[in-house]
Amino acid sequence: MNTPFYSITIPSDLEAMPEAVRGALARLAEHGWIEGEEEFYARLCLEEAIVNAITHANGEDPGRTVQLRLYDEDAECRIEVQDEGTGEFSPDAVPEPQPAQLRGRGLQLIRHFMNKVHYSQEDRVLTMRFRHKAFTNGGNCDE
Amino acid sequence: MSKTPLVDFEKHGVICVATIRAAKVLDAVNVNEFGREVIDYVEAHPETHLLINFQHVHYLSSAVLTELLRIKDALEGAKGTLRLCAVNKDIRRVFEITNLDKVFVIYDDVGSGVHRYERALELEAEDESWSKGRG
């Protein structure tokens, strides 16, 4: 079992998110996964996933937490965002939003940059994988 | 002590420029504050032609895109219009990825934005008067 190179647990409070994301971005840069302007888009994907976990999955319940973990995996970086919610979620069941539709753009952005996006209902973990230069060229998510 | 507003509103002829001055980052943490300030202004000033100026904003998340769509609806419900200006290249790419560059008119900067927005409104008014004339 791979050991994460970054791991943090935060309460279901949006105010706790920026510090967790800052730490993750610093470690992603140290591990060579992002550089320069790629930070903007890496931050976007991390925040969209964490906001979904805090608001939709955990319902901003202060008694529930969100865990963020980052792993080196050969040619890919794996990001895991674990919630403590009870509802069901399937990224595949969320269609691309229509132009004037209010919701669904966070997942649309994640799919654009990530090579793979998967949610395990059993483990309550959203797993996102990306390769080098995914934030420059787009990841063309295939899962 | 009252909190500094995120948005400054300034009239330039028929256009109202809403400059997001007090935040370099707009995300899920402060999006409600941003939306409330703009919607409050729109409700107090019906028929506003609003140009939101992003020149000081370095980063925004999808929560802000949702809020912009809400603001657009609120403006259109109050016989107003919404356009955007001065987004940096990263933010513009976010609009392109989400196809919202087809929903919002985005000008390069405030100066050309005000000028072109005014001209667009003049042309719309001319079109409308022609239509009425024909009817």
Side-chain angles (χ1 to χ4, degrees):
Chain A
M1 184 71 184
N2 203 346
T3 304
F5 64 84
Y6 180 76
S7 177
I8 189 167
T9 302
I10 61 171
S12 291
D13 178 356
L14 291 171
E15 299 280 347
M17 178 181 67
E19 192 182 335
V21 171
R22 267 197 300 277
L25 291 171
R27 300 309 304 277
L28 283 170
E30 278 171 24
H31 279 242
W33 289 109
I34 58 170
E35 59 179 342
E37 64 187 18
E38 289 185 313
E39 182 182 315
F40 181 102
Y41 304 106
R43 175 181 182 177
L44 198 55
C45 292
L46 289 167
E47 287 195 2
E48 299 297 349
I50 294 170
V51 167
N52 282 345
I54 289 176
T55 58
H56 299 308
N58 286 357
E60 297 193 55
D61 178 346
R64 292 175 176 170
T65 62
V66 172
Q67 281 186 44
L68 170 65
R69 298 182 290 267
L70 308 178
Y71 299 85
D72 287 317
E73 235 176 33
D74 298 325
E76 289 183 329
C77 178
R78 186 172 96 236
I79 300 171
E80 290 183 351
V81 178
Q82 185 167 21
D83 65 69
E84 293 181 340
T86 53
E88 293 199 0
F89 173 61
S90 168
D92 295 339
V94 180
E96 291 286 292
Q98 295 298 307
Q101 189 178 320
L102 292 182
R103 302 267 173 207
R105 290 197 169 74
L107 191 56
Q108 184 181 25
L109 288 161
I110 288 172
R111 280 176 174 148
H112 178 83
F113 291 109
M114 295 290 153
N115 301 107
K116 292 173 188 167
V117 180
H118 173 73
Y119 185 76
S120 164
Q121 198 69 49
E122 191 181 355
D123 302 324
R124 309 275 334 162
V125 174
L126 178 76
T127 302
M128 307 180 284
R129 290 183 166 85
F130 70 93
R131 302 188 190 107
H132 285 285
K133 298 295 174 195
F135 297 110
T136 303
N137 304 323
N140 297 317
C141 177
D142 55 16
E143 222 172 76
Chain B
M1 201 172 88
S2 65
K3 204 174 170 189
T4 308
L6 291 180
V7 188
D8 287 349
F9 298 91
E10 191 177 4
K11 287 285 279 184
H12 291 251
V14 296
I15 309 297
C16 176
V17 177
T19 301
I20 305 156
R21 205 177 292 280
K24 290 179 179 174
V25 169
L26 277 184
D27 60 13
V29 177
N30 60 2
V31 69
N32 290 339
E33 191 182 345
F34 163 68
R36 193 178 56 249
E37 286 182 24
V38 178
I39 299 278
D40 282 353
Y41 184 90
V42 169
E43 286 177 352
H45 303 81
E47 300 185 41
T48 289
H49 300 294
L50 195 68
L51 180 65
I52 300 184
N53 172 16
F54 286 87
Q55 75 178 98
H56 304 293
V57 178
H58 298 179
Y59 173 87
L60 59 74
S61 73
S62 76
V64 181
L65 304 178
T66 302
E67 204 58 38
L68 288 173
L69 288 165
R70 280 206 188 97
I71 291 167
K72 183 173 182 288
D73 285 348
L75 272 159
E76 288 171 358
K79 296 183 180 175
T81 56
L82 173 65
R83 299 196 176 188
L84 316 177
C85 72
V87 300
N88 68 29
K89 69 176 175 53
D90 293 323
I91 293 175
R92 187 176 281 274
R93 192 173 172 209
V94 170
F95 277 90
E96 288 167 359
I97 292 166
T98 54
N99 295 315
L100 288 178
D101 58 327
K102 298 173 185 69
V103 173
F104 294 106
V105 175
I106 305 174
Y107 299 116
D108 289 343
D109 54 65
V110 184
S112 67
V114 168
H115 178 70
R116 292 177 64 192
Y117 199 171
E118 278 177 337
R119 186 67 191 131
L121 291 172
E122 284 167 9
L123 289 172
E124 276 174 29
E126 282 173 24
D127 282 351
E128 208 170 299
S129 61
W130 274 100
S131 302
K132 281 179 186 163
R134 279 197 299 271

